[in-house]
Amino acid sequence: MTDNAPKETPKGDRIAKVLARAGVASRREAERMIEAGRVRVNGEQILSPALNVTESDAILVDGNLVSEPEPPRMWMYHKPTGLVTSDRDEKGRETIYDKMPEDMPRVMSVGRLDINSEGLLLLTNDGGIKRKLELPSTGWLRRYRVRVNGRPSDAALEPLRKGITIEGERFQPMTVTLDRQQGANAWLTVGLREGKNREIRRAMEAVNLSVNRLIRISYGPFQLGELKSGEVEEVRRKIVRDQLGLEIEDASGTAQKKPKTVQRFSKRRSSMAGKPGKPRR
């Protein structure tokens, strides 16, 4: 006789989701870590992410115990040039994590800025937030101040506004404003909603312009404002809740204060307001 009784749903959550929630990595990255044999559950190495775990399970990644996740938090970081947006670099270059304040929890970047780019980079301790903000469907506008070598006319920038195809890859229309000419260089403000690899640099090359400075000044409602290069500032939890539609247990709506001994951490109150950062001259 065939047993047609419904199977009991496994308790807990998928392990990749739990690792992402704990700030170890994004869900996809966590799955790769599992497949590489870097994760153990209750002492047993696992090689497949098709496993549910509960609070009673002991999870180790690279031999380190994964702690209970904190409430979702976000930070704004003014990334300088010369740093790689990665937790590891095969060429041994410095990463943004080498420059984080010592008491920062484990965080992940929302998207990336290449080594020669600077400006606003969002950080979070929650893999769900990272994934949500990186999805194209989120559609948040990212704005950049871009310095290019050359004397572009408004007409020369029109292909970027209409959307162009480069080596078979379609780039969606950008908002491009010619701000001013400064000697041999011109300053532009560029807005886009996708954020493909080196998108602005490649798009400018397609219209015969060379980017020699690129500063991200906003990501959706989050503004670089007056945040200085190398500074990190936590976004108030109430703002994280309101902007992302999250339920956060901490009802105070305030970010956790950092010790004054941390020099790189901004002492100003986190704010969504602020004018776009001005480039150094």
Side-chain angles (χ1 to χ4, degrees):
M1 182 180 293
T2 303
D3 184 4
N4 293 322
K7 295 182 179 180
E8 184 179 349
T9 302
K11 295 180 180 179
D13 293 311
R14 284 296 175 101
I15 185 166
K17 179 179 179 180
V18 172
L19 292 176
R21 179 70 183 84
V24 173
S26 68
R27 195 177 302 188
R28 186 175 298 177
E29 290 167 345
E31 290 175 351
R32 288 196 287 263
M33 294 168 74
I34 292 166
E35 292 166 355
R38 296 169 59 187
V39 180
R40 289 180 176 271
V41 177
N42 300 326
E44 297 289 332
Q45 185 184 55
I46 64 169
L47 298 174
S48 170
L51 174 69
N52 279 32
V53 294
T54 67
E55 294 179 357
S56 62
D57 292 309
I59 306 171
L60 282 78
V61 176
D62 296 333
N64 299 313
L65 185 66
V66 177
S67 58
E68 288 293 316
E70 289 187 346
R73 298 166 68 186
M74 284 184 62
W75 291 260
M76 296 188 297
Y77 172 54
H78 188 155
K79 176 195 173 296
T81 58
L83 297 180
V84 179
T85 309
S86 173
D87 56 350
R88 300 179 183 180
D89 182 63
E90 57 185 20
K91 297 180 180 179
R93 296 170 296 184
E94 280 193 311
T95 74
I96 60 170
Y97 301 103
D98 295 326
K99 299 298 184 180
M100 290 289 112
E102 292 181 1
D103 61 347
M104 278 283 285
R106 187 167 188 168
V107 293
M108 299 165 283
S109 67
V110 177
R112 293 172 181 261
L113 287 173
D114 66 47
I115 191 170
N116 295 316
S117 299
E118 58 193 291
L120 181 63
L121 189 64
L122 298 181
L123 307 171
T124 179
N125 66 338
D126 188 287
I129 289 180
K130 171 181 169 68
R131 181 174 180 274
K132 181 174 183 177
L133 296 187
E134 289 178 345
L135 286 173
S137 58
T138 303
W140 271 355
L141 182 69
R142 302 143 198 204
R143 293 195 305 129
Y144 301 78
R145 289 276 283 154
V146 183
R147 188 176 67 190
V148 297
N149 183 252
R151 296 179 177 275
S153 65
D154 201 59
L157 301 171
E158 193 60 25
L160 306 181
R161 301 184 182 114
K162 294 179 178 178
I164 59 174
T165 300
I166 303 174
E167 297 180 348
E169 185 174 9
R170 177 68 178 174
F171 287 7
Q172 295 299 315
M174 305 176 180
T175 61
V176 186
T177 303
L178 177 58
D179 297 329
R180 63 189 175 89
Q181 189 73 37
Q182 185 181 34
N185 297 313
W187 279 101
L188 313 173
T189 298
V190 178
L192 52 84
R193 296 183 185 275
E194 281 190 311
K196 294 180 179 178
N197 184 39
R198 301 184 72 252
E199 181 171 354
I200 292 177
R201 295 181 188 276
R202 293 167 63 195
M204 292 298 167
E205 287 173 2
V207 294
N208 300 314
L209 294 171
S210 175
V211 174
N212 53 39
R213 192 170 183 190
L214 191 151
I215 311 164
R216 183 192 282 161
I217 57 176
S218 68
Y219 194 116
F222 301 97
Q223 305 281 339
L224 182 64
E226 300 300 322
L227 196 64
K228 293 182 174 60
S229 180
E231 280 191 332
V232 184
E233 179 176 284
E234 185 170 3
V235 179
R236 293 179 60 198
R237 293 184 186 177
K238 183 179 185 300
I239 293 172
V240 176
R241 180 196 66 198
D242 293 346
Q243 291 295 332
L244 304 182
L246 301 175
E247 293 295 332
I248 298 178
E249 294 179 2
D250 181 358
S252 68
T254 58
Q256 184 176 343
K257 293 183 178 179
K258 294 291 180 180
K260 294 182 179 179
T261 54
V262 178
Q263 297 300 316
R264 293 193 191 96
F265 200 90
S266 173
K267 298 177 184 177
R268 296 180 292 111
R269 178 177 293 180
S270 299
S271 173
M272 300 289 294
K275 298 179 179 179
K278 295 181 180 179
R280 298 193 194 96
R281 294 175 172 79

